[in-house]
Amino acid sequence: MKRERLDSSSLASAGYDPAAHVLEVEFHNGGVYQYLEVGDEEYEEFRAAPSKGRYLNTEIKPDHPARKLTSPRRRR
């Protein structure tokens, strides 16, 4: 899935598959997650949110199943 860079302190990029209703998010720490059953309107609200990290934490994570694609990088 193609992701767009975000201006966010916690999120590096995000992409959306409208046919599958999947929001894919890459965190600055390298972790990539897909949030399932995210509607088009909800994705547009996420994109328009002044704090995308806050929106993800309060509106997406509590209500949508997620799957981890890659784990966060470990700090050395």
Side-chain angles (χ1 to χ4, degrees):
M1 178 181 311
K2 182 175 166 77
R3 296 189 302 260
E4 298 177 349
R5 290 270 169 225
L6 297 177
D7 182 18
S8 169
S9 61
S10 59
L11 308 177
S13 65
Y16 182 68
D17 180 342
H21 298 285
V22 173
L23 171 64
E24 187 172 286
V25 176
E26 176 189 16
F27 291 83
H28 284 298
N29 67 9
V32 178
Y33 292 81
Q34 289 184 337
Y35 297 92
L36 312 178
E37 304 168 12
V38 175
D40 298 345
E41 185 175 312
E42 206 165 12
Y43 173 64
E44 290 304 322
E45 290 173 1
F46 166 79
R47 288 191 65 208
S51 172
K52 290 165 183 53
R54 182 177 294 132
Y55 188 90
L56 181 73
N57 286 329
T58 61
E59 304 297 328
I60 304 290
K61 284 183 177 183
D63 297 326
H64 298 280
R67 61 181 167 223
K68 178 171 54 171
L69 299 185
T70 62
S71 295
R73 291 185 296 266
R74 292 182 181 225
R75 292 186 176 180
R76 295 180 185 194

